[in-house]
Amino acid sequence: MKPLPPDFYRQPTLDVARSLLGKRLHCRIGGAERIYRIVETEAYRQGDPACHAFRGRTAANNALFGPAGTAYVHINYGMHHCLNTVCQDEGTAEGVLIRAIEPFPETQEAPRTAFAGPGRLTRTLGITRSAHNGCDLCDTKSPLWLSDGPPEPDNNVVVTTRVGITKAAERPWRFYVASSRLVSRR
DNA sequence: TTAATGATGGGCT
DNA sequence: GCCCATCATTAAA
């Protein structure tokens, strides 16, 4: 199985968010490797008031400025970890938030709802900022990495506004797989 | 040092 | 659908 190359994350960030639907997330944390299908994403971009990097580089958002294809894990509401893929090259802070995934193949035993929501999926998988912020998503030896998957056809993808933000809330930068029962439809 | 805010989720109705 | 616990991070003082 081959990882998605860094070039994948150098496409325009909105394209990355769209293309990430249907891709595989490989997770090797605390035991065997498990594979998931990405079903919901949101894009955050340079000059975007909702982007964590909007006010410049800080210790907390430093990973977002890193090279394309690394992980940015941040803590939200003081208690939830959220997983992002860093897009664009070093110095440009854009990324895609992974909001929901599904077990793959479907036979995996786990409550499917445990993977819906950015905070839930990181908790279920054991993703933390201290262990996974800045890790290389293009390396099969990483605890987290991504591989290709069948692209979602346009007629199964919904584009809408991002969830839970107050600034630039009107931008249609959220993408989800319509056939997934996991994704909340708000 | 203190206060405000937030890329949420869970519990209750 | 509505409410709110909970705390890391940032901005203000």
Side-chain angles (χ1 to χ4, degrees):
Chain A
M1 195 87 70
K2 284 169 69 172
L4 291 171
D7 274 348
F8 176 84
Y9 304 96
R10 293 195 181 98
Q11 303 175 82
T13 300
L14 290 175
D15 294 346
V16 176
R18 166 64 178 84
S19 304
L20 237 26
L21 297 178
K23 297 287 186 276
R24 315 292 191 216
L25 171 66
H26 298 246
C27 175
R28 193 169 35 230
I29 299 173
E33 177 175 282
R34 291 188 183 281
I35 305 177
Y36 304 89
R37 186 171 79 106
I38 297 172
V39 296
E40 184 185 0
T41 61
E42 282 178 6
Y44 288 86
R45 306 180 65 195
Q46 196 95 323
D48 167 13
C51 181
H52 285 174
F54 185 67
R55 276 187 263 271
R57 196 167 186 157
T58 67
N61 66 25
N62 191 49
L64 199 48
F65 288 81
T70 57
Y72 166 52
V73 180
H74 74 270
I75 296 175
N76 181 252
Y77 289 96
M79 54 187 133
H80 303 293
H81 295 268
C82 296
L83 172 66
N84 302 248
T85 68
V86 174
C87 298
Q88 314 311 318
D89 282 308
E90 287 205 67
T92 303
E94 303 201 353
V96 175
L97 170 68
I98 310 295
R99 290 189 54 88
I101 57 180
E102 287 180 343
F104 179 86
E106 298 280 339
T107 56
Q108 229 168 269
E109 273 191 43
R112 293 161 58 82
T113 53
F115 306 103
R120 282 235 285 279
L121 74 90
T122 53
R123 197 187 63 180
T124 302
L125 268 49
I127 296 171
T128 62
R129 182 163 80 120
S130 56
H132 305 108
N133 193 32
C135 93
D136 187 356
L137 299 174
C138 306
D139 185 349
T140 59
K141 294 189 293 295
S142 286
L144 288 172
W145 58 281
L146 299 184
S147 70
D148 207 356
E152 288 299 330
D154 282 339
N155 64 14
N156 195 28
V157 172
V158 177
V159 184
T160 181
T161 51
R162 295 176 291 182
V163 174
I165 56 172
T166 56
K167 289 167 290 193
E170 75 293 347
R171 300 186 191 187
W173 290 356
R174 174 179 179 228
F175 303 84
Y176 68 85
V177 175
S179 61
S180 174
R181 296 286 304 180
L182 286 183
V183 180
S184 65
R185 299 289 143 92
R186 40 179 157 160

